[in-house]
């Protein structure tokens, strides 16, 4: 009889503990949902700082809850929209570190590339017409690496075609940067350095619009150095180049014609809404 009473007491205590745990989990989920919805509302009104604050709180308080993975994705997008390049890159890298096999890994690479591209941009620079391609080339090189990883490792991703278009533009901008450096040296009559940079454009950025002006500059540099045979050789090669009417010149991507950038919403994770809807839904707006 005593043994039976002890068994019944144990069952009662375990049931009570389980009930308390379930209640605590429900409370945690409700609080996490409240933070997530607050971030969603802030995103709807483009209040990215508030959205970031709510998502950071959600991740700090409920790192393993139903909303954790989706918050990690959404905050990448929120940081980007807020113009916080370093935070965007860090959030993308963190997402991959925590979720190395997640379907949204290609998205994190694409957003990392976009953020790095934007590092040399800004409303003031755009307003005064500063060519971002003539500034620090390191972020663009890092963006190129991010897009290349996406294209090579995830060829069937929804983001791969967009990454290829960004790679094409970065390739052209790399040629423009090298050409600007060559002109910098030419303006100072540093003809050897100018010639080397012009050759870099011709060899490394083949089929870009920078090649013809680079050949003209190389001719000028060789003539200034009294290397007339080399200048004539470049001139002959220059004359063999197809004219602008004959060359298959790719059109400027529409996103640059409109001075906009393709910024996809954060994809949904398997989480609070069963993989559909949510703050980062492609059809649901929000972040």
């Amino acid at each position: 009889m005593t043994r039976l009473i002890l068994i019944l007491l144990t069952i009662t205590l375990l049931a009570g503990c389980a009930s308390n745990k379930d209640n605590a989990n429900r409370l945690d989920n409700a609080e996490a949902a409240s933070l997530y919805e607050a971030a969603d509302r802030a995103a709807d009104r483009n209040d990215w700082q508030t959205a970031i604050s709510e998502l950071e709180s959600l991740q700090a308080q409920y790192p393993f809850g139903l909303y954790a993975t989706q918050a990690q994705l959404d905050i990448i997008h929120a940081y980007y929209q807020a113009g916080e390049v370093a935070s965007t890159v860090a959030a993308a890298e963190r997402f991959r570190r925590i979720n190395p096999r997640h379907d949204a890994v290609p998205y994190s690479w694409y957003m990392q590339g976009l953020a790095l591209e934007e590092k040399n941009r800004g409303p003031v620079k755009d307003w005064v017409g500063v060519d971002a391609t003539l500034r620090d080339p390191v972020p663009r090189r890092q963006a190129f690496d991010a897009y290349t990883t996406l294209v090579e490792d995830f060829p069937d991703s929804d983001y791969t075609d967009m990454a290829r278009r960004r790679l094409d533009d970065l390739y052209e901008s790399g040629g423009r940067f090298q050409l600007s450096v060559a002109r910098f040296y030419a303006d100072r009559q540093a003809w050897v350095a100018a010639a080397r940079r012009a050759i870099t454009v011709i060899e490394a950025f083949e089929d870009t619009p920078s090649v013809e002006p680079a050949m003209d500059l190389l001719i000028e540099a060789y003539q200034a150095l009294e290397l007339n045979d080399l200048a004539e050789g470049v001139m002959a090669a220059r004359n063999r180049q197809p004219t602008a009417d004959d060359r298959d010149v790719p059109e400027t991507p529409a996103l640059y014609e409109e001075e906009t950038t393709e910024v996809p919403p954060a994809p949904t994770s398997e989480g609070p809404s069963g993989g559909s809807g949510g703050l980062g839904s492609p059809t649901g707006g929000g972040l």
Side-chain angles (χ1 to χ4, degrees):
M1 185 65 179
T2 302
R3 183 179 179 184
L4 178 60
I5 292 171
L6 289 173
I7 292 173
L8 291 173
L9 286 172
T10 301
I11 293 172
T12 301
L13 288 171
L14 290 175
C17 290
S19 177
N20 290 336
K21 185 176 182 180
D22 289 342
N23 289 335
N25 287 338
R26 282 195 292 270
L27 181 60
D28 286 350
N29 289 336
E31 291 175 351
S34 178
L35 289 169
Y36 190 81
E37 290 167 4
D40 194 9
R41 290 193 298 271
D44 285 342
R45 61 179 184 269
N46 293 325
D47 182 0
W48 299 109
Q49 291 301 333
T50 298
I52 289 169
S53 178
E54 298 292 351
L55 290 170
E56 286 177 341
S57 295
L58 193 160
Q59 291 184 82
Q61 296 178 50
Y62 309 102
F64 307 109
L66 290 173
Y67 293 82
T69 303
Q70 188 62 53
Q72 293 164 15
L73 284 170
D74 291 334
I75 205 165
I76 297 172
H77 191 266
Y79 280 137
Y80 175 83
Q81 294 287 12
E84 299 185 17
V85 173
S87 294
T88 304
V89 173
E93 291 175 342
R94 180 175 181 269
F95 179 83
R96 293 193 296 272
R97 188 168 60 252
I98 297 174
N99 312 281
R101 299 182 184 278
H102 198 283
D103 289 341
V105 165
Y107 167 82
S108 72
W109 279 114
Y110 184 73
M111 292 303 296
Q112 180 168 329
L114 283 186
L116 288 165
E117 274 196 83
E118 292 292 315
K119 194 166 187 179
N120 284 332
R121 297 178 61 90
V124 175
K125 295 174 185 175
D126 292 343
W127 182 70
V128 299
V130 174
D131 187 350
T133 64
L134 306 185
R135 303 182 70 86
D136 183 9
V138 173
R140 291 196 305 279
R141 192 178 303 121
Q142 293 170 336
F144 193 95
D145 291 342
Y147 294 137
T148 300
T149 299
L150 169 53
V151 169
E152 292 180 351
D153 293 355
F154 306 95
D156 299 323
S157 164
D158 292 340
Y159 304 97
T160 300
D161 287 343
M162 291 190 290
R164 286 196 179 101
R165 291 197 294 272
R166 309 302 296 188
L167 283 170
D168 289 343
D169 187 78
L170 284 170
Y171 182 65
E172 288 194 10
S173 70
R176 291 197 301 274
F177 175 79
Q178 294 296 335
L179 180 60
S180 71
V181 176
R183 284 173 171 159
F184 172 87
Y185 287 129
D187 289 343
R188 287 151 183 79
Q189 298 186 352
W191 297 113
V192 173
R196 286 174 177 168
R197 289 287 180 156
I199 291 170
T200 296
V201 175
I202 295 165
E203 293 182 346
F205 298 94
E206 187 179 6
D207 297 328
T208 68
S210 299
V211 170
E212 284 189 15
M215 295 181 81
D216 291 338
L217 193 150
L218 184 58
I219 293 168
E220 182 183 0
Y222 282 154
Q223 290 174 340
L225 293 168
E226 298 183 356
L227 300 172
N228 295 321
D229 289 345
L230 291 177
E232 289 175 5
V234 177
M235 201 175 301
R238 169 75 168 76
N239 292 334
R240 288 196 299 271
Q241 293 290 312
T243 64
D245 293 336
D246 298 332
R247 186 183 299 111
D248 183 15
V249 180
E251 295 181 359
T252 303
L255 62 159
Y256 274 90
E257 291 173 352
E258 299 168 0
E259 296 186 354
T260 60
T261 302
E262 294 183 65
V263 185
T268 54
S269 64
E270 296 297 327
S273 54
S276 62
L279 209 147
S281 170
T283 59
L287 293 184

